[in-house]
């Protein structure tokens, strides 16, 4: 029996949303963000099961505190529970870190519970092609207050063992301004069928992120599949800069989309030309799925987007 981490576009049993409430950082805009979550919930539940998780929780980023699920060819599942520590102890996470065990004990998910609570890992920090390659970023997995004193090589060996992959491809550039996560891959580079990489680019040399994203693009051009072929690269535009009320730039990105059964839910930011271009490019990567735009201007206020808010489960997990 060999487990693997499926690609996100493989069949799903459902998606988790951890719901906003007054004791989260959304308290000052709870009505607005709740309306946004209701839109996400409707679009997901049209296509598959939706699991809504309520308090107690510190916050709502299901991608980073949720189970990471492995499957085998017989649809047996392993539910991997990693430690979430608020992206390197930046924020409280004790309640979020207890959610998976609660869901398992309540019987809301099926599978073999596997504890890795001695290792810090967030779901947004890794991407899988489902066939032996795991992608991640150096700036996140080697960031302070996660898994020191482990070296990059030691972390890679654990990732290969736990996720049953042949190799790990490390992206060394590209952290977005305002990103609390230290450079999660799901804000930068996403995997799509047919060895396709969707990545955020920047064409404005005056943008503070231009050089990092240029270096990231150059590195992606050097990557090869397990068969030795270059990846198909599709460049997503960079949204025009969005700032919070204190004048700090928020990490808006079109890469933080969510693949569900039959559709891709895509973040947009009321920037019509750029939104349309991003939707068109994502549609090239997923030509057999409906492309659904969801306004994420409220979600970006807390430095996240669609993918960050959700965790998908493969077939066989949700009860």
């Amino acid at each position: 029996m060999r487990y693997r981490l499926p690609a996100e576009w493989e069949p799903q049993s459902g998606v988790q949303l951890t719901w906003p409430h007054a004791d989260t950082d959304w308290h000052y805009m709870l009505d607005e963000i709740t309306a946004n979550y209701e839109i996400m919930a409707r679009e997901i539940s049209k296509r598959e099961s939706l699991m809504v998780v309520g308090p107690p929780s510190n916050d709502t980023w299901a991608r980073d505190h949720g189970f990471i699920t492995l499957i085998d060819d017989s649809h047996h599942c392993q539910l991997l529970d990693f430690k979430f520590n608020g992206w390197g102890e930046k924020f409280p996470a004790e309640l979020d870190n207890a959610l998976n065990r609660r869901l398992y004990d309540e019987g809301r998910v099926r599978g073999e519970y596997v504890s890795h609570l001695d290792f810090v890992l967030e779901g947004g920090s890794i991407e899988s092609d489902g066939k032996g390659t795991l992608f991640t970023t150096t700036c996140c997995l080697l960031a302070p207050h996660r898994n020191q004193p482990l070296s990059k090589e030691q972390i890679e060996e654990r990732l290969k063992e736990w996720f049953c992959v042949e190799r790990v491809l490390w992206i060394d550039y590209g952290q977005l301004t305002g990103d609390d996560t230290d450079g999660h891959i799901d804000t930068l580079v996403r995997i799509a069928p047919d060895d396709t990489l969707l990545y955020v680019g920047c064409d404005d040399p005056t943008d503070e992120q231009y050089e990092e994203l240029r270096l990231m693009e150059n590195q992606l051009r050097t990557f090869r599949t397990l068969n030795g072929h270059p990846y198909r690269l599709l460049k997503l535009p960079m949204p025009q800069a969005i700032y919070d009320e204190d004048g700090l730039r928020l990490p808006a990105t079109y890469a933080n989309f969510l693949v569900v059964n039959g559709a891709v839910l895509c973040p947009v930011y009321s920037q019509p030309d750029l939104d349309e271009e991003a939707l068109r490019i994502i549609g090239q990567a997923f030509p057999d799925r409906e492309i659904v735009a969801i306004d994420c201007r409220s979600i970006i206020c807390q430095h996240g987007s669609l993918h960050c808010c959700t965790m998908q489960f493969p077939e066989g997990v949700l009860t």
Side-chain angles (χ1 to χ4, degrees):
M1 180 185 300
R2 179 170 176 81
Y3 285 95
R4 64 184 181 88
L5 179 61
E8 190 165 312
W9 58 86
E10 296 185 42
Q12 300 176 14
S13 63
V15 169
Q16 173 182 336
L17 284 175
T18 303
W19 207 256
H21 56 87
D23 292 326
T24 64
D25 286 344
W26 297 113
H27 61 89
Y28 70 100
M29 53 179 294
L30 191 57
D31 289 344
E32 182 180 354
I33 193 61
T34 298
N36 216 146
Y37 265 65
E38 289 172 348
I39 293 170
M40 286 191 286
R42 284 196 296 270
E43 291 297 339
I44 292 166
S45 58
K46 287 178 186 177
R47 299 166 174 91
E48 56 193 86
S49 295
L50 174 67
M51 181 173 70
V52 174
V53 177
S57 68
N58 296 106
D59 224 308
T60 58
W61 306 111
R63 180 64 47 178
D64 297 335
H65 60 242
F67 281 117
I68 301 175
T69 310
L70 306 186
I71 60 172
D72 69 7
D73 292 340
S74 299
H75 297 290
H76 298 117
C77 302
Q78 283 190 339
L79 304 167
L80 307 190
D81 190 7
F82 289 92
K83 182 176 182 179
F84 176 58
N85 72 345
W87 309 297
E89 301 175 352
K90 296 183 182 73
F91 303 97
E94 292 82 4
L95 297 175
D96 292 344
N97 205 46
L99 287 176
N100 288 339
R101 188 74 222 192
R102 186 182 104 200
L103 295 175
Y104 185 78
D105 289 345
E106 291 174 353
R108 298 182 66 183
V109 291
R110 287 189 295 255
E112 177 191 356
Y113 178 90
V114 180
S115 175
H116 290 298
L117 290 173
D118 58 348
F119 190 90
V120 176
L121 185 74
E122 303 105 33
S125 70
I126 56 172
E127 280 273 305
S128 171
D129 66 358
K131 54 185 183 181
T133 299
L134 193 75
F135 296 78
T136 191
T137 64
T138 307
C139 57
C140 178
L141 264 63
L142 301 186
H145 306 293
R146 279 181 167 86
N147 293 301
Q148 288 77 18
L150 293 179
S151 67
K152 178 180 177 180
E153 292 73 23
Q154 290 170 321
I155 291 173
E156 179 169 322
E157 284 306 309
R158 284 164 171 75
L159 296 177
K160 289 165 70 175
E161 176 186 353
W162 294 333
F163 294 112
C164 306
V165 295
E166 296 184 41
R167 62 179 185 156
V168 178
L169 290 181
W170 295 79
I171 297 169
D172 298 318
Y173 308 98
Q175 184 173 349
L176 299 180
T177 302
D179 175 21
D180 291 328
T181 71
D182 299 311
H184 273 185
I185 194 170
D186 69 353
T187 66
L188 298 166
V189 181
R190 302 296 304 284
I191 319 306
D194 302 317
D195 295 324
T196 299
L197 301 181
L198 287 145
Y199 68 99
V200 175
C202 181
D203 295 324
D204 179 5
T206 67
D207 191 297
E208 59 191 315
Q209 301 171 136
Y210 173 81
E211 182 62 15
E212 275 287 302
L213 293 174
R214 184 188 69 81
L215 292 170
M216 183 184 78
E217 181 179 48
N218 288 341
Q219 185 179 22
L220 294 178
R221 291 193 179 112
T222 71
F223 285 175
R224 295 294 180 266
T225 69
L226 282 169
N227 293 327
H229 302 296
Y231 284 92
R232 175 193 182 206
L233 300 181
L234 295 179
K235 181 178 179 179
L236 293 166
M238 170 63 63
Q240 294 174 358
I242 301 173
Y243 297 92
D244 67 14
E245 59 187 15
D246 296 321
L248 300 176
R249 187 170 181 171
L250 299 171
T253 172
Y254 291 112
N256 206 251
F257 55 81
L258 174 70
V259 184
V260 294
N261 293 335
V264 185
L265 310 186
C266 304
V268 293
Y269 301 100
S270 194
Q271 300 178 12
D273 291 345
L274 292 171
D275 292 346
E276 183 178 348
E277 181 184 359
L279 296 174
R280 177 184 61 80
I281 293 169
I282 294 171
Q284 289 179 356
F286 297 94
D288 59 340
R289 295 177 189 254
E290 182 182 4
I291 305 300
V292 180
I294 295 182
D295 190 333
C296 286
R297 285 176 294 169
S298 61
I299 304 175
I300 199 65
C301 291
Q302 284 298 319
H303 304 246
S305 201
L306 284 175
H307 198 251
C308 303
C309 295
T310 56
M311 176 56 85
Q312 81 282 356
F313 295 106
E315 286 185 332
V317 174
L318 289 191
T319 57

